[in-house]
Amino acid sequence: MKYLNKILLMTIIAGLAFSADEAGGVGGAYLRMPADARSAALGNAGTSLSNDVNANIANPANVVSIETRQFASSFQFLSLDRSYQTLSFAVDLPPTAGMSVAWVHAGVDEIIGRSYSNDYAGRYSWSQDAFIIGFGLGLTDWLSIGVSGKVLSDQLANSSSSGFSADVGVKATPVKGLVLAVVAKDVSGKLSWDTSGESYSEYQTRRVDEFPLGLHFSAAYTLFDKVLFTGVYKYSPQIEPTWHIGVEGKIADMLFIRGGLDNGAPTFGLGTIYKLWKNISTRMDYAFLPGMIGQGGSHLFTWLFYF
């Protein structure tokens, strides 16, 4: 009976995917969500953003543009008992390198489990975690490369899984204000499940969830140091391609407004930056995502420190 409950629970989880696109039921959906409020408000088009610790999750080559130490924390309020959080830290490594670490967490609570005969089997929770270490190197004044490794861990009811994936990125600034980037996402990404523990020793169940390989092509352009245009086309041979565009306007020295389209879905947000004390500054970002029909909108907050 426990084995049947496990199968049914996995089916329920597939329908509670985090991603807003049609690839929600494919492995690693939470890693295809925007990691922070700024990139979320820009339509999930953060692949070419510079000097932003959260952009390193989208493209490890971005860490080369980090000008000082940065730390950021993000939290997204989601419906259906879902949660999504990230922590990021990055530091520049003179003369032409940078390093970043990040933690991405997603979860679902209060999942009601039932057997094939519709008998109540208890409440379950599901959590997904990715621990990311990235390194970038500036080859010339206008070209940089980066690579990051992701240690993956999933916990579902009484079973767990582990895995690994990697990102490889290239970033170029051929002229002032223009940024071009290409990233290979989740190279060799997979999760290996093993439910052959005490509860399932009779069945010795094993499963491997492979992550779809993604190729992201991105460009960003800053006009008059006040308006940022950014866009990303995300292609994958396993899932449907998506497109993302965003615009950020600097209204004052401390205020930014943002808007975008996340594969056709509108996104909105704003941010403010100010000095706290001596060489310590902070930035607070907010984004609103309407979400899919039936899911309701969600709110994403990010608090970033420069020091």
Side-chain angles (χ1 to χ4, degrees):
M1 180 63 70
K2 291 182 178 179
Y3 179 64
L4 296 179
N5 292 339
K6 176 65 69 172
I7 294 177
L8 184 58
L9 180 59
M10 293 291 287
T11 303
I12 295 173
I13 289 297
L16 295 175
F18 286 84
S19 178
D21 58 32
E22 295 183 6
V26 181
Y30 73 107
L31 293 175
R32 295 188 289 275
M33 295 177 62
D36 66 295
R38 184 189 182 198
S39 59
L42 293 173
N44 197 9
T47 306
S48 295
L49 300 182
S50 298
N51 194 29
D52 193 322
V53 60
N54 297 294
N56 303 329
I57 298 176
N59 180 2
N62 286 332
V63 73
V64 178
S65 66
I66 293 293
E67 298 175 356
T68 182
R69 288 171 294 180
Q70 297 183 21
F71 172 79
S73 174
S74 299
F75 184 86
Q76 186 171 2
F77 294 92
L78 294 162
S79 60
L80 304 176
D81 297 309
R82 299 170 298 163
S83 62
Y84 184 75
Q85 302 94 32
T86 65
L87 293 175
S88 304
F89 173 78
V91 61
D92 63 319
L93 300 175
T96 61
M99 185 182 71
S100 65
V101 294
W103 169 59
V104 181
H105 169 80
V108 182
D109 294 320
E110 299 298 320
I111 305 170
I112 298 177
R114 295 187 181 274
S115 66
Y116 281 132
S117 58
N118 203 33
D119 294 326
Y120 176 74
R123 294 180 180 271
Y124 301 92
S125 63
W126 176 43
S127 65
Q128 298 176 288
D129 296 276
F131 302 92
I132 308 171
I133 299 178
F135 177 79
L137 178 65
L139 301 179
T140 67
D141 292 339
W142 60 274
L143 181 65
S144 61
I145 61 173
V147 60
S148 63
K150 291 179 275 192
V151 179
L152 310 170
S153 175
D154 275 28
Q155 302 286 332
L156 174 60
N158 296 321
S159 64
S160 63
S161 68
S162 60
F164 180 84
S165 71
D167 296 346
V168 180
V170 178
K171 183 177 180 180
T173 55
V175 297
K176 182 180 179 180
L178 177 64
V179 178
L180 304 175
V182 178
V183 187
K185 301 286 291 184
D186 291 317
V187 179
S188 299
K190 64 176 63 177
L191 274 171
S192 299
W193 290 87
D194 186 358
T195 59
S196 59
E198 181 178 349
S199 300
Y200 307 100
S201 57
E202 179 181 353
Y203 301 97
Q204 299 290 312
T205 306
R206 297 181 185 274
R207 172 191 174 96
V208 175
D209 290 335
E210 295 187 356
F211 287 16
L213 173 66
L215 296 175
H216 297 183
F217 304 91
S218 176
Y221 184 73
T222 303
L223 183 64
F224 305 128
D225 293 326
K226 290 185 176 294
V227 182
L228 169 71
F229 301 92
T230 181
V232 185
Y233 176 73
K234 301 181 179 181
Y235 169 79
S236 173
Q238 286 89 23
I239 60 178
E240 181 181 351
T242 60
W243 56 273
H244 313 262
I245 57 174
V247 179
E248 176 184 80
K250 187 176 182 181
I251 303 303
D253 290 339
M254 298 175 56
L255 182 63
F256 302 84
I257 60 171
R258 305 175 181 116
L261 292 174
D262 185 356
N263 201 35
T267 57
F268 313 93
L270 54 85
T272 180
I273 185 171
Y274 53 91
K275 189 173 183 178
L276 286 178
W277 182 71
K278 291 185 178 181
N279 64 333
I280 302 177
S281 299
T282 186
R283 193 182 83 208
M284 302 183 70
D285 297 323
Y286 164 77
F288 174 73
L289 294 81
M292 299 177 64
I293 297 176
Q295 287 186 351
S298 63
H299 307 271
L300 204 164
F301 297 88
T302 297
W303 198 359
L304 189 151
F305 293 91
Y306 305 85
F307 56 97

